[in-house]
Each structure stands twice: as structure tokens, then as C-alpha cells.
Amino acid sequence: MASKLKRMLSFKERRVDRRLSSSGTFPNLSSPGSPKLLPTPGFDSKHGLARRTMSQPLVVQANLTGLAKLEAVKNLMDKLGEDLKKPNLLPHQRDAALEELKIYGRDPTNADPIFTPEGIKILTKHAFNSPSNSTARAALRVLANSMLLNPVARQTFVDLGYEDQACKKLRNDSFDDEFLVSRVLFLTTYGTKINLLALIQKHRLAETIVDNLSKHAKLLTNRQPKSPIDPMEDMALNETLKLLFNVSHYCPSEVDAFTGCIPHIIALLWKHDVPPSKPLDPPFNALVNALLDLKLEDKDIQAFVYPKAEPNMLAERLIEILDPALNAYPDNELEQLVTPLVSVLRRVHDGAPEEVKKYVRDTLLPTEQDRKEVLGRGTSLTSRLLRNSTNPLTPHLREAISRLLFDMSDQDASKFVENVGYGFASGFLFQNNIPIPASASEAFSTGEAQKPVNPITGQFVESEKHVDVPEMTEDEKLREAERLFVLFERLRKTGVVDVQNPVEMAARSGQLHDFGDKRVEEVDE
């Protein structure tokens, strides 16, 4: 009886298994790498892939790998392509398919159909022709990601000629659209033949960017404390600023069209709170970079760069960012993040009225407190600037700092040496073929009390620590003479320099005598 019951139960379990198989639901596979497929009507057990009918909802299941992933991506692209010819997907099905593609497209391995010319064309049409905002944005996300990962896809998009539609969509009152379209256009500025001139002159890109920055500045100015912030707001701002920088940089002939951005960028710089731990994290790095190529000297915006009520406002904010930034980042990030900041500060200083120039110089040039020790040895902002002006790991930053310091010295080599010391000034002067002033090695006086300063170190002479060095013993003199003799002999044998050993010359001229104990001793004259 027991064996009969077991056979009946076994038969019943097999029937259940067959029903599960025919309905498309499989037992959970626990082996590593096995795809976990959700129950979906119409599952084809032969191929192990979900074949969805057009009237059924698309379930996001982007967890396939290998050939299964490739087949899934191909099926999704085919369905989205067919949907363009004859709409047969419901809006939520279309969005789900694009969401699944977005996940698959994060890793281009076995996602080739996304990156083909036909794939980019399908995504572009859904992104810019769809009447549904959710579908268009879902397609834009996949498109932007594919253009980021595959440089060829950028030119493919440009060849489709959707610049006009992109610029129009950029005018939508939506942070999502601003973020996504700015990202797509930003990527086209790398390695493509996009006509930036047409974007600006024909498609009003500059005007749109100015309007979007104005919107961000107004929102920030009018925002009530503790009011909720849309997380897409800062992301959209950052992408707009990156697009602004690239377009103005790669199309310098049209930089005047972006001058209207300057007041809004300054307002955003001033209104945003500077994070002390990472002062050049977004959006501050993008805000600073955006000013690099813009015409800060334009007479129409001087009232914004140097407002009458607070002429130091912009310079003060830039220095407020610079101070913690020199401590916050390692050398490789200093080179990338702080160099533009110093360059913008230099431009602000160069075009500033005397009041602002005095403020910048008083803040950045060595003070009497700094000169109580060798310049560059302290912890002040000035000391850190000077140290980075000779930092071998940040060539662009050290050049930018040296040029700023030179400009603050009225581009006068003598003043430059007096301000920073010959040690910090000499390298810059030599590299730029600027004659070293004759007075460079002469002591000078500075400060209210006109204290004498060491021209090499920049330190007050009275603050120098004089080290008492004891007289060398005869044995020490002997060892030093032997070291010098060996050193010059090695130099002579290399042939690199033609030198005569001074110890040997002294011996031949009778200045050295060999005593019985074989010591080499100098004879007093």
C-alpha cells in the first residue's frame, strides 16, 4: 500500500511539473549565473526566452547574460522598430521595453543591437518623435548612455539630423528634458562633425542656454528655506553648464552669444552654499569652468562682475572656494579642478577696478605674518599657493598660480621677486624668458616697519634662524677633500664635462702639502 501511494504521489508531482512547464513557470534555479525569469505568458521553453505578445505588458527582466542577453536585446530593438512603423505597443509596454534596454545597455557586452546605426535611429525617433514624455525620456536615457559608451554612436546621431528637435526639446520646462538633451548635445561635441555654428545661429542654442540658466538662478534666489528641492534640478544645471563650456570652447567665434550667461552664473555661484569638504564638487566646478571662455571683460556685464554695492563679491567667492580646495583634493584632482578656478580668478583680477585688485592682492600675496618664516612653509592660503606654484605633479596648476602671482606683481619681475622670493620666482621667469632683475639677490625692505627681507627665501632677516656650525676637525677636512677628489675624478672620466680636479690643481700649485701621516692639509697663506 505504501509503495502504491508513493507511485501515485510521484505521478501527481510529475503532472504538476508538466503543467508548470507548459504555463511558462520554471522551478527556481539556484546555480550561479542562472537567469531568474519572471512568470510571463507566452514563454517559449524551447529557446528559454520570453516571447511577449504585443497586447501583453512588458515586464522588466534585464538580468540575462551572454547569448541570452544578446537575443533579448535584439528582440526588444525589433519590437521598438516595428512599433515605429505601426504602433502596436501600449505606452507602458513601450516604456518598459526602453527601461529594459537601458539596463542592458549599461554594459555594451552582448548589447550590440543598441549601438548599431539602426539601433541609434530607433532610439532617436522614439526620443524626439514620441508624443509621450515618459517614452521620449526613456529613449533619451538609452540614447545618451549609448553615446557615452560608444563614440561611433555620436556621429550616427549627428548624421540623423535631429539638432533642431533637440534644441526645441531643450526649451521644455522640464529638468528631465534639460538634463537628458543637454547630455546628448554635450556628447556630440566630442569626435563628431556637428555644426556648432548652426546650433547657435539657426537653432538658438545660446539663447536657450541663457534662458535655462536664468530659470535656475531665479529658482535659487526665490526658494524658501527648507523647501523641497527637485533632485533633477542640480543635475540639469550641471549638464547645461558642461554643454555651455564645450560649445563656447569649440566655437569661439560665437562666444559673444553666451555673454548673457555670466550674470546668472555669478548669481548661482553666490547663492549656492560652498561645501567645505569638497568645495569644487558639482555644481561649483561646472560654474567655474563655464566662465573660462566667456567675455568677463565685456562692458555690458561689468556691473554684474563688479557690482557697485559689493565690487569684491565674485573675487571673494572664488577665493572662498580656493582656500579649502587646496586642502581638499589630491594632486591629480587639483590639476583638473583648481586650475580653472585660479585661471578665472586671474581674469577677474586683471579686469578689476583698483579696489578689487587691492583686495585680491592683500588676500593672496605674502603678509608680514607669512614672512616670519621662509615663504611657503606655513599653512596660510598664501603658503599653500606658493607651494603649489612649484608642484611638479600639477604642471598646469603651477603655471596658472605663477601667472596669477606675476599679474598681481604688475608683471614686473623685480616686484615679483620681492613679493614671492627669488626661490619661487626664478623658475617662472626662466621658463618664460623674462630677464632676472639685477636686484634679485639684493636684500630689500617691506612692511610697515620696512624690515629687511632675504631676497631668496622672502623671510624677514631678523626672523632667520642662524645655525652655529662648529669648525671642521682635521679628519673631517681630510674626508671632505677625499670625497671631492673622487667626485671630480668620476666627472672627468665620464666625459660629460671637461673639468680639472681642483684638489689636484691645489696640490700641483703648492697649496696642499702631504704630511707624513698622509693627510692632505691646506696651508695658510
Side-chain angles (χ1 to χ4, degrees), residues 337-480:
L337 295 174
V338 181
T339 303
L341 175 61
V342 174
S343 299
V344 171
L345 181 56
R346 179 189 170 208
R347 292 187 61 203
V348 170
H349 167 270
D350 288 352
E354 286 304 316
E355 178 185 354
V356 179
K357 283 186 176 180
K358 184 179 185 304
Y359 166 77
V360 175
R361 295 179 186 192
D362 289 347
T363 307
L364 299 182
L365 288 176
T367 62
E368 290 193 27
Q369 183 65 33
D370 291 315
R371 294 188 185 277
K372 289 182 179 179
E373 56 185 331
V374 175
L375 291 183
R377 296 263 181 98
T379 59
S380 66
L381 171 58
T382 299
S383 296
R384 285 176 283 130
L385 269 179
L386 288 172
R387 285 199 296 273
N388 279 289
S389 73
T390 57
N391 188 340
L393 300 178
T394 57
H396 293 98
L397 176 60
R398 72 169 183 252
E399 176 73 10
I401 292 174
S402 294
R403 289 196 175 279
L404 172 61
L405 294 169
F406 188 61
D407 286 353
M408 289 192 292
S409 305
D410 297 324
Q411 298 188 356
D412 182 300
S414 296
K415 286 184 180 179
F416 187 40
V417 172
E418 290 180 7
N419 281 334
V420 303
Y422 181 75
F424 287 110
S426 58
F428 175 80
L429 296 175
F430 177 77
Q431 289 173 4
N432 291 277
N433 297 317
I434 300 172
I436 305 294
S439 60
S441 59
E442 299 174 2
F444 61 91
S445 300
T446 189
E448 293 182 3
Q450 289 295 297
K451 299 177 183 178
V453 175
N454 184 321
I456 307 299
T457 64
Q459 184 180 16
F460 285 134
V461 173
E462 67 178 27
S463 300
E464 292 181 335
K465 296 178 181 179
H466 299 282
V467 181
D468 293 328
V469 180
E471 186 72 22
M472 293 177 70
T473 65
E474 294 301 321
D475 285 337
E476 288 172 338
K477 290 179 182 179
L478 173 62
R479 286 194 294 271
E480 190 64 26

Side-chain angles (χ1 to χ4, degrees), residues 147-402:
M147 292 171 67
L148 174 67
L149 296 175
N150 190 325
V152 177
R154 301 168 198 168
Q155 184 59 50
T156 303
F157 171 77
V158 171
D159 292 340
L160 292 172
Y162 272 75
E163 294 92 335
D164 184 42
Q165 292 92 321
C167 289
K168 285 179 180 177
K169 188 176 282 290
L170 196 57
R171 299 184 199 114
N172 290 351
D173 188 17
S174 162
F175 290 131
D176 290 274
D177 287 343
E178 182 185 354
F179 169 78
L180 292 166
V181 178
S182 293
R183 170 69 64 90
V184 167
L185 290 175
F186 169 76
L187 290 169
T188 63
T189 62
Y190 291 103
T192 75
K193 298 177 181 178
I194 192 167
N195 189 342
L196 294 177
L197 199 62
L199 284 180
I200 297 168
Q201 294 182 347
K202 183 179 178 182
H203 304 303
R204 300 166 49 203
L205 178 61
E207 180 184 331
T208 303
I209 289 177
V210 172
D211 289 343
N212 283 342
L213 289 177
S214 173
K215 176 181 65 177
H216 283 285
K218 287 177 182 176
L219 282 171
L220 192 60
T221 302
N222 299 329
R223 178 170 292 133
Q224 297 298 320
K226 297 183 180 180
S227 60
I229 301 174
D230 185 345
M232 284 302 299
E233 183 178 337
D234 278 351
M235 294 174 66
L237 170 62
N238 203 53
E239 289 302 316
T240 296
L241 291 166
K242 286 161 58 180
L243 176 61
L244 164 61
F245 172 76
N246 271 28
V247 175
S248 61
H249 182 74
Y250 291 119
C251 193
S253 64
E254 295 299 309
V255 72
D256 286 345
F258 297 97
T259 302
C261 296
I262 295 174
H264 308 309
I265 294 172
I266 293 173
L268 289 163
L269 265 174
W270 188 251
K271 292 293 182 180
H272 271 283
D273 295 328
V274 179
S277 59
K278 294 289 184 180
L280 280 169
D281 277 11
F284 286 98
N285 58 339
L287 286 166
V288 170
N289 290 350
L291 291 173
L292 273 173
D293 295 311
L294 301 186
K295 290 194 172 181
L296 297 176
E297 67 278 6
D298 191 294
K299 63 180 182 180
D300 293 332
I301 53 94
Q302 293 303 293
F304 297 97
V305 181
Y306 313 106
K308 285 187 178 181
E310 293 182 85
N312 297 332
M313 185 179 76
L314 179 56
E316 182 181 331
R317 176 45 60 104
L318 294 174
I319 293 173
E320 185 183 346
I321 297 170
L322 175 64
D323 193 354
L326 289 173
N327 287 329
Y329 300 100
D331 287 335
N332 61 324
E333 292 185 45
L334 280 177
E335 179 81 337
Q336 181 183 359
L337 295 174
V338 181
T339 303
L341 175 61
V342 174
S343 299
V344 171
L345 181 56
R346 179 189 170 208
R347 292 187 61 203
V348 170
H349 167 270
D350 288 352
E354 286 304 316
E355 178 185 354
V356 179
K357 283 186 176 180
K358 184 179 185 304
Y359 166 77
V360 175
R361 295 179 186 192
D362 289 347
T363 307
L364 299 182
L365 288 176
T367 62
E368 290 193 27
Q369 183 65 33
D370 291 315
R371 294 188 185 277
K372 289 182 179 179
E373 56 185 331
V374 175
L375 291 183
R377 296 263 181 98
T379 59
S380 66
L381 171 58
T382 299
S383 296
R384 285 176 283 130
L385 269 179
L386 288 172
R387 285 199 296 273
N388 279 289
S389 73
T390 57
N391 188 340
L393 300 178
T394 57
H396 293 98
L397 176 60
R398 72 169 183 252
E399 176 73 10
I401 292 174
S402 294

